[in-house]
Amino acid sequence: MRRRMLWPLFSLLLLGCEVTLEGGYRVGEAQLLFPEATERWTYFYGEPREVQLGEKTLQLTEPRGESLWAVPGALFVNGLPLYRETGPALAPVGETVRGAFGGRLLVRARTDLASVWLYDGAGWIKLAENLARGQEAVLPQPGTYTTPSFAQLLDRETQVLLREVLARRGGRQVVVYELKEPVLKPLPLKPTPLSYRAQALGVQYGIGVEIFLPPPSPSYRVLDKGQMSGYNEQTPKALLALGPNRFAEGWNLVVAGRIPRPPAPQVDFRSRAVAFFFWGVKPTGGYGLEVVGVSRVGDTARVVLSLTTPLPGAIVTQVLTSPYVVLELERVRKVVFTDQLGRVLAEDSE
């Protein structure tokens, strides 16, 4: 009797395994929010098979022929290199304008953005990252070109999609916003794919000109800066002090090894905070850092640093160095140090 009871259960387990095996394919989706329309580009990976999408049957087959929209390794869908849907345009997810005076750029986030990229006619430039809805970022246009990457897209998918974006713009200026969350629901595919990646990208054609004044930077002062701190790790470190004990911890790292030790500056912690940044141990002299600016969003201070490294063949001191900077800021709960491309170097909170 027990065997008869176990056999149906075992059969159900096998059936469950078969469903999983039949769904052994993967999906990568790009939601392109163009000014004129919203498009869903879906790529399928895995073994050829049939997939149901509502009343539609999608025949996933090996690639046949060449297409500008084809992604290496992706299956063709009903003879086409991808499955594509088009819908009405949605509200812009962001706005980037150029100031009428000074050429600075202003980026406005109308939803949570992971990153913002500008194609200036010659290459891609990363303008900003991690902007919350309603946040604005004023910045000089940097000049370093790099290849965009997005969290939920493969590099080869990104290449195809950006090529299409630029083709529609004719190679002129365009801004691409990487959203932190998709805006369209996943396709109701049967069987269910093993993985479903979805990335929403907002597209802005051109950059308008607007008269705006950059917001004043929060007041700050450099308490100390140098090349020889007592921090002996290689990875950068940030330390935020909101009181004397934490301040003493950071100051001891700054002056370690100095004889005599200089006294710590006076700070009113009722309204101020102190942020320490230690770049890490460097093999020689010639490494330096400068504070480019400080901005504040809520209780977070963002400190932008300019980092310099010695040029190849430069004559530098052959001694280990450990560059650092100490800043007095308006009182905040968190500090984030970034480079001029917006890459986070180190952060701390208290």
Side-chain angles (χ1 to χ4, degrees):
M1 178 66 68
R2 179 174 293 180
R3 291 182 178 178
R4 292 181 180 178
M5 294 178 63
L6 290 176
W7 175 249
L9 177 60
F10 184 63
S11 299
L12 288 174
L13 290 174
L14 286 178
L15 181 59
C17 292
E18 289 175 0
V19 171
T20 301
L21 290 173
E22 288 179 0
Y25 67 101
R26 305 176 306 282
V27 173
E29 176 184 297
Q31 302 170 7
L32 301 175
L33 313 181
F34 290 107
E36 68 276 9
T38 299
E39 299 185 14
R40 187 202 304 261
W41 288 33
T42 309
Y43 288 97
F44 294 83
Y45 301 88
E47 298 295 328
R49 67 184 67 241
E50 283 189 0
V51 174
Q52 291 299 128
L53 176 57
E55 298 181 353
K56 297 180 182 178
T57 299
L58 305 183
Q59 298 285 347
L60 308 183
T61 60
E62 294 289 352
R64 293 178 297 183
E66 297 182 358
S67 170
L68 292 176
W69 295 342
V71 168
L75 300 169
F76 271 42
V77 185
N78 294 340
L80 299 175
L82 76 160
Y83 178 75
R84 181 178 167 213
E85 291 181 342
T86 303
L90 301 178
V93 298
E95 181 183 25
T96 300
V97 296
R98 188 182 303 280
F101 305 105
R104 296 173 70 89
L105 295 176
L106 170 64
V107 179
R108 299 187 179 100
R110 296 179 177 173
T111 190
D112 292 340
L113 301 175
S115 64
V116 182
W117 296 83
L118 166 67
Y119 183 82
D120 67 351
W124 288 98
I125 301 168
K126 190 174 188 179
L127 296 183
E129 63 180 358
N130 294 324
L131 294 180
R133 180 178 181 178
Q135 185 178 351
E136 295 185 353
V138 180
L139 63 158
Q141 180 177 327
T144 302
Y145 295 117
T146 186
T147 302
S149 62
F150 305 112
Q152 298 300 320
L153 293 178
L154 304 177
D155 289 343
R156 57 183 183 269
E157 294 170 345
T158 299
Q159 293 175 9
V160 172
L161 296 168
L162 293 183
R163 185 172 61 214
E164 174 69 15
V165 169
L166 294 183
R168 297 191 186 191
R169 181 59 186 161
R172 291 172 290 175
Q173 285 187 338
V174 65
V175 181
V176 172
Y177 304 89
E178 178 191 7
L179 279 68
K180 289 190 175 181
E181 299 292 339
V183 296
L184 304 178
K185 294 182 179 179
L187 294 173
L189 300 168
K190 294 184 179 180
T192 303
L194 287 177
S195 65
Y196 197 117
R197 297 177 288 106
Q199 179 71 70
L201 300 176
V203 179
Q204 172 186 317
Y205 293 148
I207 297 180
V209 177
E210 184 176 302
I211 297 177
F212 65 86
L213 296 176
S217 297
S219 61
Y220 72 93
R221 66 179 175 129
V222 178
L223 298 180
D224 196 13
K225 183 169 71 73
Q227 305 292 319
M228 303 297 293
S229 76
Y231 179 67
N232 56 14
E233 303 291 336
Q234 292 187 342
T235 56
K237 176 183 177 65
L239 192 151
L240 178 64
L242 300 180
N245 293 337
R246 186 78 163 168
F247 179 53
E249 176 186 343
W251 189 253
N252 287 337
L253 273 180
V254 168
V255 300
R258 297 190 198 177
I259 300 177
R261 290 194 172 194
Q266 295 297 315
V267 178
D268 184 357
F269 286 105
R270 293 173 299 180
S271 60
R272 309 295 286 175
V274 175
F276 298 81
F277 176 77
F278 302 96
W279 193 4
V281 175
K282 305 303 176 187
T284 67
Y287 292 84
L289 53 85
E290 296 290 340
V291 178
V292 175
V294 178
S295 61
R296 176 172 177 171
V297 178
D299 285 335
T300 300
R302 188 181 185 90
V303 182
V304 180
L305 300 176
S306 172
L307 305 177
T308 58
T309 58
L311 297 174
I315 300 176
V316 295
T317 56
Q318 299 300 308
V319 62
L320 296 178
T321 58
S322 183
Y324 69 94
V325 65
V326 186
L327 298 174
E328 183 189 66
L329 309 169
E330 294 178 346
R331 191 171 177 86
V332 291
R333 306 298 301 182
K334 182 178 181 180
V335 63
V336 179
F337 289 91
T338 74
D339 63 12
Q340 289 181 286
L341 293 180
R343 294 174 296 199
V344 175
L345 303 170
E347 60 185 59
D348 190 34
S349 60
E350 184 172 315

